[in-house]
Amino acid sequence: MKKIIFGLAFLVAIASESSAQDPNFSQFFSSPLTLNPALTGKFDGVYRVAGNYRNQWPTINNAFTTMTASVDFGVLKNHIPEFDQFGIGIMAFSDKSGNGVLQNNFAALSMAYHKGLDENGYHQIGAGFQTTFVQKRLDVTKVVFEDQLTPLGFTGVTSEIFSNNQVNVKYLDVNAGVFYNGSTNGYNNFYLGASMYHINRPKESFQGGNFVLNSRTTIQAGGKIPVGPYNFFHFAANHSMQAKAHNTMIGGAYAMNLNANEENPTTVYFGSWYRFGDAVIPYVGLEFGELHVGVSYDVNTSSLKPASNVRGGGEISLIYIKKPVDPNAKKLNCPKF
């Protein structure tokens, strides 16, 4: 491929401007299996289903659309100590760039073990691993080549010929993480975690070269603080590093219990996050029964504002946690996002 692919050049320009890394969500706290493999099974319930959808910079020809769905659950609960948790999870992840020019599809299997550190179950530490099958495809029917330029515009026919290996990339990826959470009284909660992605540094190239994917390291921290008898303030931060790119987010949300019910609350969340050098992200959430829905919107503040019209992108998240049928089932002290 000696000639310039203008569609890909546009994507590279966007990535350079935004210091882009791997696909990620503004509501990182609502996408547990993409945040840290050690969060697999880290919830209080029978199983958890999570889904996220993001459309970033829609004014720039749908520059990036990202979606994921996952399910995880605890296993061997009757064969491990009371406050331990052994979790297994599966995840599907899809990311499309440049209105579908580049399509990334992932299928992942993860597992984690969380060890209780005290007799009350207030403190746990865990480690998790994740293996991912990755398929990346370049749709050459949606890009424009230099030799298609005519006096009437890009109306000519390209002479470029592609083999299947030049438009498809497949490989296995390995990720891992550690996670600690604790509480002083069973009502508050705080956590600290770290994860690393692309540990095996797989080769990734459409031209068959030796381009090696850089490892990405993330650090996350946060917690919740009671405000009155039923309400809470949640805060969370996430920092990731990949090659020379850095991505830092910090913020929080106030959780208002509308029915004064501690066991089965109806809660509204109001908050905001900030991605340094890029966007302010207002957030609204609603929790009722076993379902938690969140909506956020990136208000672009970077130098890309003229192209994006300050429209960074909308995002929606959904988490469903099936509660135990037995009211006397053991309760785990888990982070509440």
Side-chain angles (χ1 to χ4, degrees):
M1 288 183 285
K2 299 179 180 179
K3 300 177 182 179
I4 299 173
I5 303 177
F6 287 91
L8 293 182
F10 172 71
L11 294 179
V12 171
I14 289 179
S16 301
E17 181 66 32
S18 63
S19 298
Q21 305 177 49
D22 287 346
N24 60 81
F25 294 101
S26 292
Q27 296 179 50
F28 58 90
F29 44 87
S30 296
S31 183
L33 298 194
T34 64
L35 179 63
N36 189 332
L39 287 171
T40 305
K42 191 62 174 173
F43 62 94
D44 188 22
V46 180
Y47 61 84
R48 172 175 60 186
V49 178
N52 305 75
Y53 174 80
R54 173 178 178 80
N55 188 358
Q56 183 175 346
W57 298 325
T59 58
I60 313 179
N61 200 27
N62 290 319
F64 300 97
T65 56
T66 308
M67 62 195 77
T68 184
S70 66
V71 58
D72 59 326
F73 45 88
V75 296
L76 303 176
K77 293 186 177 183
N78 296 325
H79 301 279
I80 58 178
E82 181 181 5
F83 295 114
D84 288 12
Q85 178 83 331
F86 183 22
I88 293 178
I90 56 176
M91 178 185 67
F93 190 103
S94 178
D95 178 69
K96 296 181 180 180
S97 306
N99 205 26
V101 172
L102 179 62
Q103 300 183 34
N104 306 320
N105 296 305
F106 309 78
L109 174 66
S110 61
M111 62 178 63
Y113 192 90
H114 304 273
K115 179 65 180 176
L117 302 178
D118 64 317
E119 61 182 10
N120 296 317
Y122 285 175
H123 301 267
Q124 285 185 322
I125 189 168
F129 300 90
Q130 186 178 74
T131 300
T132 305
F133 174 74
V134 181
Q135 180 188 47
K136 300 195 173 189
R137 178 174 175 80
L138 177 64
D139 188 348
V140 295
T141 66
K142 295 183 178 181
V143 296
V144 179
F145 298 87
E146 184 181 26
D147 61 352
Q148 291 179 262
L149 181 61
T150 71
L152 299 177
F154 288 96
T155 58
V157 178
T158 181
S159 61
E160 293 285 345
I161 300 175
F162 296 86
S163 69
N164 185 63
N165 291 334
Q166 288 179 302
V167 296
N168 284 285
V169 174
K170 299 177 182 178
Y171 58 84
L172 286 178
D173 205 359
V174 178
N175 314 313
V178 294
F179 194 85
Y180 162 80
N181 77 283
S183 175
T184 60
N185 54 18
Y187 290 96
N188 60 18
N189 191 282
F190 44 88
Y191 63 87
L192 176 66
S195 54
M196 178 173 285
Y197 293 79
H198 321 310
I199 294 175
N200 57 324
R201 301 197 68 188
K203 292 182 179 180
E204 182 181 84
S205 174
F206 286 108
Q207 299 184 24
N210 291 314
F211 175 78
V212 176
L213 188 60
N214 287 304
S215 298
R216 173 170 60 93
T217 301
T218 69
I219 300 172
Q220 55 276 167
K224 70 172 185 178
I225 301 173
V227 181
Y230 299 106
N231 302 333
F232 292 88
F233 177 72
H234 296 257
F235 58 95
N238 185 43
H239 177 71
S240 63
M241 301 160 283
Q242 186 173 13
K244 296 181 180 181
H246 296 263
N247 186 358
T248 303
M249 293 184 61
I250 188 170
Y254 182 74
M256 181 182 301
N257 190 319
L258 301 181
N259 61 353
N261 187 324
E262 183 178 347
E263 294 297 324
N264 191 25
T266 297
T267 305
V268 176
Y269 294 78
F270 299 97
S272 181
W273 268 257
Y274 178 66
R275 182 184 296 110
F276 285 82
D278 183 53
V280 175
I281 309 163
Y283 167 80
V284 177
L286 176 64
E287 179 184 15
F288 55 96
E290 300 171 318
L291 191 65
H292 188 149
V293 179
V295 178
S296 63
Y297 193 86
D298 292 18
V299 180
N300 189 233
T301 60
S302 72
S303 56
L304 196 66
K305 285 189 297 182
S308 68
N309 293 324
V310 197
R311 294 174 59 188
E315 187 174 312
I316 184 169
S317 67
L318 181 150
I319 294 180
Y320 174 83
I321 297 178
K322 177 62 178 177
K323 296 182 179 180
V325 177
D326 183 3
N328 297 317
K330 70 175 183 181
K331 292 184 178 295
L332 296 176
N333 179 41
C334 298
K336 184 67 176 295
F337 301 106

